[in-house]
Amino acid sequence: MKLNIVQSSIINFLNWCHSPFKKILPAQTFRYAACGGGNMVLDVLLYFVTYNFILHKEMIDLGFYGISAHIGAFLIVFPITFFTGFLLAKYITFTQSNLDGRVQLFRYGLTVSGSILLNYIFLKIFVEIFEMYATLAKIVTTFLVVLYSYYAQKYFTFRTTISVD
């Protein structure tokens, strides 16, 4: 019951925000951008707090291995934003999917893994082969990965199956 209230409140707010863009952007694409952007902001804020105030920019000593603070912060924050991203995609953006939630979660994990791999590959290619400035390479890479992610989630992770009776 509470989930439905939160879900409908978020969707209503996003529909209100979407109204000026209705003619140029489908609602689902707008929701995807808003949810993804919100999750990205959450990711950056959690990373900042974790890196600066929880880890104090210091190595994590596991006794047998040391993890740098910037990687440690990523490892701590990633599971949180992975699940918030999944929940936003499932309950706000791709609500029409009738696939089982466990299947969606597994597929979401695959698409996120693909996004991480594509980020790595594109950055290596753009910076090391094309000798592009790193920041510009990151911008181009982000654009390409967002396109991949949207279509992978729409047509694979949260696809709508058609039942034949």
Side-chain angles (χ1 to χ4, degrees):
M1 185 67 165
K2 289 182 183 181
L3 175 64
N4 290 338
I5 293 169
V6 172
Q7 179 186 27
S8 62
S9 297
I10 293 171
I11 289 173
N12 288 337
F13 175 72
L14 291 177
N15 286 344
W16 178 78
C17 293
H18 174 248
S19 58
F21 307 101
K22 277 185 179 179
K23 293 183 180 181
I24 58 171
L25 197 62
Q28 187 178 61
T29 306
F30 182 83
R31 287 182 193 166
Y32 179 80
C35 289
N39 201 47
M40 183 181 67
V41 169
L42 175 66
D43 182 65
V44 170
L45 288 174
L46 288 175
Y47 183 90
F48 177 81
V49 169
T50 302
Y51 178 74
N52 289 291
F53 301 109
I54 296 173
L55 299 178
H56 303 285
K57 303 177 190 176
E58 295 177 8
M59 295 268 305
I60 301 170
D61 184 9
L62 299 176
F64 60 93
Y65 188 74
I67 300 174
S68 62
H70 64 281
I71 298 300
F74 168 76
L75 293 174
I76 291 167
V77 170
F78 178 77
I80 298 166
T81 55
F82 175 87
F83 283 107
T84 56
F86 172 75
L87 293 173
L88 288 169
K90 178 176 177 55
Y91 293 108
I92 305 301
T93 304
F94 301 107
T95 58
Q96 300 301 317
S97 177
N98 50 7
L99 293 174
D100 183 68
R102 288 175 288 153
V103 172
Q104 291 174 338
L105 181 60
F106 176 76
R107 290 180 175 193
Y108 185 78
L110 289 177
T111 60
V112 168
S113 298
S115 294
I116 291 168
L117 182 62
L118 285 174
N119 264 290
Y120 177 78
I121 290 169
F122 285 141
L123 285 172
K124 292 290 269 184
I125 290 170
F126 292 148
V127 173
E128 295 178 16
I129 296 174
F130 295 148
E131 298 179 358
M132 193 181 284
Y133 288 113
T135 302
L136 179 59
K138 178 59 179 160
I139 292 167
V140 173
T141 295
T142 298
F143 177 76
L144 294 172
V145 172
V146 164
L147 287 176
Y148 153 79
S149 179
Y150 176 74
Y151 287 108
Q153 287 184 32
K154 182 175 181 172
Y155 295 110
F156 176 67
T157 304
F158 299 103
R159 80 164 191 238
T160 304
T161 58
I162 300 169
S163 61
V164 179
D165 294 324

